[in-house]
Amino acid sequence: MKIAHIDLGERPVLLAPMEDVTDPSFRLICKEQGAAMVYTEFVSSEALVRDIPSTVRKLKIDDKERPVAIQIYGREPEAMVEAAKIVEKAEPDILDLNFGCPVKKVAGKGAGAGMLRDIPKMLQITRDVVKAVEIPVTVKTRLGWDCENKIICDLGLRLQDCGIAALSIHGRTRSQMYTGSADWTLIGELKKNPEMEIPVIGNGDITTPEGALNAFEEFGVDGVMVGRGAIGAPWIFKELNSLIKSGSNFKTPVEDKFNLIIRQIRESIEGKEEKSGILHIRRHLAASPLFKGLPDFRPTRIRMLRAESLAELEDIFHEIKCSYFS
């Protein structure tokens, strides 16, 4: 699959952009584990234009991550264009437009998935941004605003006409948020339309190698994107690629999983202050499948998620390893 001149190989698996998740250390680990391309956290166009330090820091990328995409969101064409120009100076491989975030503080203000209620403005922003920058521009969106307005098959073609280089689609409506199951039917329908010439990347509920393989074989997508399935489990990319590319079911050794999580903890803290680094990593620890099904684990889990220092977390991890996996 190629996005403009960027070759991601056959049947690539990508790391989805996720707020408070896809920081530089996590992106690099996922890249090393086999993610064909990684995305930054969401970047607010208005905050970027106002030069808010916490937002500007999100533009920091490492050459080891490449290819890497920076994703921006907003509701005003002028701010989105200005933000796109700022992003281009950070030299990502791709600029992605977020028309899919469903959370109230974004979509409720008309940005992210909120754009699904104002298609003319969405298309205007897309056209204006494509014209404003030299790097490839892509879009990530959803099936539609709600079940009565699943417009992606028409919208995808209109976005293509705006000049984007690829389209990523989450198989839910905005109203669904993250409930129920992702519906890939319309993603497949759009991909099979002969008028759709740019790559179509499917997203939603990719948590197993079998699910990823099925997305390619049943729905014909060019790539798949992994979001929540990677939180606390960056090794998922190696396991997905093993089945997709070689037909084998590789299972990451427990020792390797521990090492990756410990590395994540340390690098999260190194990249921030200890307190904020601990807070950031808690989401990964809470979601990690590494701890699912362990008997009588609840008290240890509470301690792990309440730990306030790297030393405390490392002691708890040593205890877990000795108690459950030795």
Side-chain angles (χ1 to χ4, degrees), residues 56-73:
V56 174
R57 281 196 292 271
K58 292 181 180 181
L59 302 185
K60 183 179 179 181
I61 56 178
D62 190 313
D63 281 342
K64 294 178 182 177
E65 300 176 51
R66 295 188 186 279
V68 58
I70 294 178
Q71 187 188 73
I72 61 174
Y73 71 91

